[in-house]
Amino acid sequence: MNEFTDFKTYKMKNKKIYQYVFDYFSEQILSGELKINDKILPEREIAEKLDVSRNSIREVMHMLEINGLLDCRQGSGNYIRCEPQEYMIQFMNMVMALYKIEYTEVYDIRMGYETVALRLAIKNATEEEIEQLHQILIKMDEVEDPKESGRLDMEFHNKLIAASHNRLIVLYSSMIAELMNRFISDFRVRIMADPRQAEALRRAHWNIYDSLVAKDFAAGSFAMQRHFDIVGEKLEYLQKQLDN
């Protein structure tokens, strides 16, 4: 729907005015007419253009603001932005809770995108990012507290994903991580408290790092799978406990 007349036709066929207004904004963004930092028309002009009440415009604009797609500046106007992370994380968490998505299902997805992230990081990671991963591993070798080890483990994986420079993977990872941390925040601590598993994970992390430095995806993929095998075994045990 690129022309306003198309929206007029759409409005005649639908009773929900807010959906009509939302689709108007959506089409302007998808078509490229509105870009980040663009200032949109005043409420009055949009209301006249769409032949709807200003309350309907205000309702949709408020929804867009909550979703992180609109910046409403008092005295300046309304601007397009793109910071939907917080809303998307909350929304995804609610959907997963309602569908009763199991932690093992979430972990299956993580195995896929983190292996892809490693492949991309081998290609895109900067020297600074590689050194940051190195420093995290050094700290992991030095700490004895399982809680701190768990925090560093999470930091390592987040840094690796960020080093992929794939914004969609980074965004999706943050949504999944929020769900995992919300319901099983002590999961990593449980693993790190087991000396055998902690040592196996320590070696797996170093092997992942070494493969990144050597740009050897085959070795990195093997190390990543070893890591997931260790964690997955513990996660399946935890899931069975929750199901009983």
Side-chain angles (χ1 to χ4, degrees), residues 142-207:
E142 295 173 347
V143 300
E144 297 181 359
D145 178 23
K147 185 175 182 180
E148 178 63 10
S149 294
R151 186 193 69 78
L152 289 169
D153 175 88
M154 180 171 63
E155 184 179 357
F156 177 86
H157 288 277
N158 288 341
K159 289 287 186 182
L160 179 64
I161 290 169
S164 74
H165 293 255
N166 183 299
R167 291 172 293 177
L168 190 56
I169 292 179
V170 173
L171 177 60
Y172 192 76
S173 173
S174 68
M175 292 189 290
I176 298 299
E178 178 70 17
L179 181 73
M180 297 289 282
N181 293 335
R182 179 181 177 84
F183 293 102
I184 48 175
S185 59
D186 64 339
F187 177 63
R188 286 184 174 87
V189 177
R190 297 186 190 188
I191 295 178
M192 294 303 180
D194 184 322
R196 180 183 62 83
Q197 291 181 326
E199 174 58 22
L201 281 179
R202 187 192 73 81
R203 291 197 303 270
H205 284 122
W206 274 106
N207 289 338

Side-chain angles (χ1 to χ4, degrees), residues 23-241:
D23 285 353
Y24 166 76
F25 282 109
S26 177
E27 177 59 25
Q28 285 211 312
I29 292 173
L30 292 174
S31 67
E33 293 181 46
L34 285 178
K35 302 178 181 65
I36 294 178
N37 296 324
D38 281 356
K39 184 177 181 179
I40 68 173
L41 294 173
E43 292 178 10
R44 176 182 55 79
E45 293 185 33
I46 299 175
E48 292 177 355
K49 183 176 182 180
L50 300 184
D51 191 24
V52 299
S53 69
R54 291 183 65 175
N55 284 337
S56 296
I57 301 297
R58 196 171 293 118
E59 179 184 358
V60 173
M61 289 174 62
H62 181 60
M63 180 173 62
L64 291 172
E65 183 180 21
I66 292 175
N67 293 351
L69 297 176
L70 197 63
D71 183 14
C72 299
R73 306 175 191 173
Q74 187 68 30
S76 176
N78 304 309
Y79 299 81
I80 297 296
R81 66 172 177 149
C82 188
E83 298 177 9
Q85 289 89 341
E86 182 177 351
Y87 172 79
M88 291 180 68
I89 289 171
Q90 293 175 342
F91 181 78
M92 181 65 78
N93 288 344
M94 289 188 292
V95 170
M96 289 183 173
L98 290 171
Y99 274 116
K100 300 185 184 301
I101 300 296
E102 295 183 346
Y103 306 131
T104 50
E105 295 178 88
V106 176
Y107 213 71
D108 289 341
I109 295 296
R110 181 186 162 185
M111 281 193 289
Y113 71 68
E114 193 156 343
T115 301
V116 173
L118 173 61
R119 180 188 288 275
L120 293 172
I122 288 174
K123 176 183 177 182
N124 300 324
T126 65
E127 292 184 6
E128 180 181 1
E129 289 171 327
I130 293 175
E131 180 57 27
Q132 287 174 348
L133 288 166
H134 185 219
Q135 292 302 316
I136 293 171
L137 291 179
I138 292 175
K139 291 179 182 178
M140 289 178 70
D141 284 349
E142 295 173 347
V143 300
E144 297 181 359
D145 178 23
K147 185 175 182 180
E148 178 63 10
S149 294
R151 186 193 69 78
L152 289 169
D153 175 88
M154 180 171 63
E155 184 179 357
F156 177 86
H157 288 277
N158 288 341
K159 289 287 186 182
L160 179 64
I161 290 169
S164 74
H165 293 255
N166 183 299
R167 291 172 293 177
L168 190 56
I169 292 179
V170 173
L171 177 60
Y172 192 76
S173 173
S174 68
M175 292 189 290
I176 298 299
E178 178 70 17
L179 181 73
M180 297 289 282
N181 293 335
R182 179 181 177 84
F183 293 102
I184 48 175
S185 59
D186 64 339
F187 177 63
R188 286 184 174 87
V189 177
R190 297 186 190 188
I191 295 178
M192 294 303 180
D194 184 322
R196 180 183 62 83
Q197 291 181 326
E199 174 58 22
L201 281 179
R202 187 192 73 81
R203 291 197 303 270
H205 284 122
W206 274 106
N207 289 338
I208 291 170
Y209 167 78
D210 289 339
S211 74
L212 184 61
V213 173
K215 298 187 181 301
D216 186 345
F217 176 69
S221 180
F222 181 83
M224 186 73 75
Q225 187 58 55
R226 174 57 180 155
H227 172 279
F228 283 125
D229 287 343
I230 297 168
V231 179
E233 180 182 345
K234 190 77 171 181
L235 185 57
E236 288 181 4
Y237 174 76
L238 176 60
Q239 186 68 60
K240 289 178 181 178
Q241 287 184 317

